[in-house]
Amino acid sequence: MTELTDTTSTDATTRLTATGPDAAPTADEARQALGALRAEIGKAVVGNDPAVLFLVLALLCRGHVLLEGVPGVAKTLLVRALAAALDLEHARVQFTPDLMPGDVTGSQIYDPRSAQFTFRRGPVFTNLLLADEINRTPPKTQSALLESMEERQVSVDGQPQPLPDPFVVVATQNPIEQEGTYPLPEAQLDRFLFKVDVSLPDRDAEFHVLRRHATGFDPRDLAAAGLRPVAGPAHLAAARTAIGTVTVGAEVLAYIVDLCRATRTAPAVQHGASTRGATAVLAAARAYAWLTGRGFVTPDDVKAVATTVLRHRLQLRPEAQLDGVTAESVLTALLLSVPVPV
């Protein structure tokens, strides 16, 4: 997989300042600024380059991300570092069994002075919402995010309240602790553009983490770590406009269709990817192609994003799960068997 362009954060900060609030950055400037995120986030998070890449792709595609990993692998720190490096407003909600929908979206508050109800906005009114341990809250509260994720709005007394742009939900969940959790329904899982597995670091990366902490690194103080904005909403807007010009040939579109249709007929799969899943692969592949410096999509771009887009959209048969089959292994086999256009 092609990595983000490695640009020094000092140069990127200079570009962010030079661009100014009123000047629209060019597509090349936007690509360079977004490429600098890897180096900037690296001041706080060691490794996890694939997770950084897919978080950036989600912002470019106006999609949402489900981060899955055991506790202590810097999932929350990764999102906080991304928000700091992108100069975006962000909020964090710790999902618990007693969390109510109004705690997320906001609620009507009675004002005795005016004898009227006024809407007090909840934490969902932000650019980057971290939904921490989303599977620890009941379905009623989980569903409060559905309208926000799909429509980019919150309905209050029948009146839509638009959310800021960009708006991205990054949810985290622990894959090993199931007591007291509420699995996300299929309809909500399908609203996430990507499911990213955040794994434990290798030995060298873990040694580097400990060496940082031994020299005084405080993950709660990102400013002290030297983390600074290297891109902003204007860069994201310019990037999205440029992505709209990325061409996709008919043969690549057919490849995406064949790949998604193959998930529906795979023996181990009970329910495969929907048409929404196919459009998600297309959007992610276009953003990936642009981010790596091309104006057209290749089958390799599709392969680079397909597993992360589709893994949470496949429902396996119970007997296949008992045999140790995973969504990743199914997709790996399909990527090898579905004919690739030349």
Side-chain angles (χ1 to χ4, degrees):
M1 179 178 294
T2 306
E3 296 182 341
L4 296 178
T5 304
D6 190 1
T7 310
T8 61
S9 57
T10 302
D11 291 343
T13 304
T14 302
R15 285 194 302 273
L16 181 62
T17 305
T19 299
D22 300 322
T26 66
D28 287 339
E29 289 172 341
R31 185 185 292 110
Q32 291 171 5
L34 293 172
L37 285 173
R38 181 168 64 96
E40 195 66 21
I41 294 175
K43 295 178 180 179
V45 181
V46 177
N48 285 325
D49 279 358
V52 174
L53 171 61
F54 282 107
L55 285 171
V56 174
L57 290 176
L59 284 163
L60 295 177
C61 298
R62 292 184 172 91
H64 310 288
V65 182
L66 180 62
L67 294 179
E68 186 171 272
V70 298
V73 291
K75 298 187 297 294
T76 302
L77 178 60
L78 177 62
V79 179
R80 289 177 53 233
L82 176 67
L86 272 174
D87 194 26
L88 296 177
E89 292 185 5
H90 69 285
R92 176 178 178 269
V93 178
Q94 182 67 48
F95 279 69
T96 58
D98 59 348
L99 194 72
M100 299 298 292
D103 297 329
V104 179
T105 60
S107 56
Q108 296 276 27
I109 304 297
Y110 180 73
D111 185 355
R113 292 173 295 181
S114 62
Q116 292 181 339
F117 284 93
T118 58
F119 179 63
R120 179 175 295 176
R121 292 183 168 190
V124 74
F125 287 87
T126 188
N127 295 126
L128 193 61
L129 177 66
L130 174 59
D132 222 348
E133 295 187 289
I134 190 173
N135 58 334
R136 286 204 171 277
T137 200
K140 182 178 181 180
T141 303
Q142 291 177 2
S143 65
L145 280 176
L146 284 177
E147 182 187 14
S148 302
M149 294 171 68
E150 188 67 18
E151 306 296 336
R152 265 65 176 181
Q153 67 179 28
V154 172
S155 294
V156 181
D157 290 339
Q159 298 297 320
Q161 299 280 340
L163 296 173
D165 184 31
F167 171 72
V168 171
V169 174
V170 181
T172 69
Q173 67 177 12
N174 177 0
I176 59 175
E177 190 174 358
Q178 301 301 324
E179 184 177 355
T181 62
Y182 303 83
L184 297 180
E186 296 299 323
Q188 186 163 5
L189 279 174
D190 204 36
R191 266 35 176 216
F192 286 99
L193 177 62
F194 299 126
K195 179 184 176 184
V196 179
D197 289 336
V198 184
S199 58
L200 289 166
D202 58 29
R203 185 181 185 280
D204 290 341
E206 195 164 9
F207 174 81
H208 191 43
V209 170
L210 266 63
R211 185 167 62 181
R212 283 190 176 187
H213 281 260
T215 55
F217 171 70
D218 183 0
R220 299 170 185 83
D221 189 356
L222 296 181
L227 205 66
R228 298 291 183 268
V230 297
H235 294 95
L236 289 175
R240 289 169 177 171
T241 300
I243 289 170
T245 66
V246 174
T247 60
V248 189
E251 67 282 357
V252 176
L253 290 175
Y255 178 55
I256 296 173
V257 170
D258 291 343
L259 181 61
C260 290
R261 291 180 66 86
T263 66
R264 303 167 198 164
T265 57
V269 178
Q270 186 168 341
H271 296 294
S274 65
T275 303
R276 179 189 285 137
T279 60
V281 173
L282 172 62
R286 292 182 80 185
Y288 182 84
W290 177 83
L291 199 59
T292 51
R294 275 177 287 100
F296 56 92
V297 177
T298 68
D300 285 340
D301 298 325
V302 175
K303 291 182 177 183
V305 301
T307 298
T308 310
V309 173
L310 298 175
R311 58 159 58 108
H312 57 293
R313 305 175 193 269
L314 305 188
Q315 185 176 344
L316 301 181
R317 298 184 184 277
E319 58 270 24
Q321 296 182 59
L322 291 174
D323 290 338
V325 177
T326 64
E328 287 80 2
S329 63
V330 170
L331 290 168
T332 298
L334 292 179
L335 288 169
L336 292 174
S337 60
V338 174
V340 178
V342 179

